[in-house]
Amino acid sequence: LADLPPDEAPPTIFDKIISKQIKSAILYEDNDAMAFRDISPQAPTHFLVIPKVRNGLTRLSNATEAHKMLLGHLLFVAQHVAKQEKLEPGFRVCINDGPD
C-alpha cells in the first residue's frame, strides 16, 4: 500500500476513534485494523471493523488491487471478533459504501 498516493479525504469520526480522540469500546486492534462496538447498535451485538490506515480506502468502491490483502484481513478480523463475542451459529456481515 506504500505505492498508493496520499489520502486527501478529510478526517472522519473513524480517524478520531483510531487516534483515540473519541473514546470507543475497542474489541480488537492490530497494526492494520480496529474493531469496536457501534455507538448506535442495530442488533444485540453490533461492531465495526475498519482499517487503521485508509490509504485511499475511504469507500469500498475506491478499492484497488493493492487493497486486496487488507480487505481480506478486515473480514478475518470480523470473524475473529464474532467468535470472541460468541456469535455461533452465525452472524451477518454488512459493508456500507457511501451515504446511500
Side-chain angles (χ1 to χ4, degrees):
L1 295 174
D3 298 338
L4 294 170
D7 195 326
E8 302 290 330
T12 68
I13 189 169
F14 299 122
D15 296 309
K16 293 177 181 177
I17 290 170
I18 291 166
S19 69
K20 311 286 195 301
Q21 290 175 297
I22 294 177
K23 195 171 182 133
S24 64
I26 297 171
L27 300 169
Y28 177 90
E29 184 174 10
D30 64 21
N31 290 335
D32 299 315
M34 178 183 279
F36 52 92
R37 295 199 190 282
D38 193 296
I39 61 168
S40 182
Q42 303 298 306
T45 302
H46 184 171
F47 60 88
L48 294 102
V49 180
I50 61 172
K52 287 181 69 176
V53 178
R54 295 185 302 180
N55 286 328
L57 193 59
T58 54
R59 295 176 63 164
L60 185 58
S61 58
N62 292 341
T64 67
E65 181 113 5
H67 293 111
K68 286 184 353 182
M69 292 212 30
L70 176 58
L71 291 169
H73 181 65
L74 295 173
L75 285 173
F76 179 83
V77 169
Q79 68 82 30
H80 174 80
V81 174
K83 286 179 182 174
Q84 180 180 295
E85 294 291 303
K86 311 238 185 299
L87 295 180
E88 287 98 14
F91 53 93
R92 179 176 175 210
V93 175
C94 179
I95 299 173
N96 294 326
D97 184 77
D100 296 331

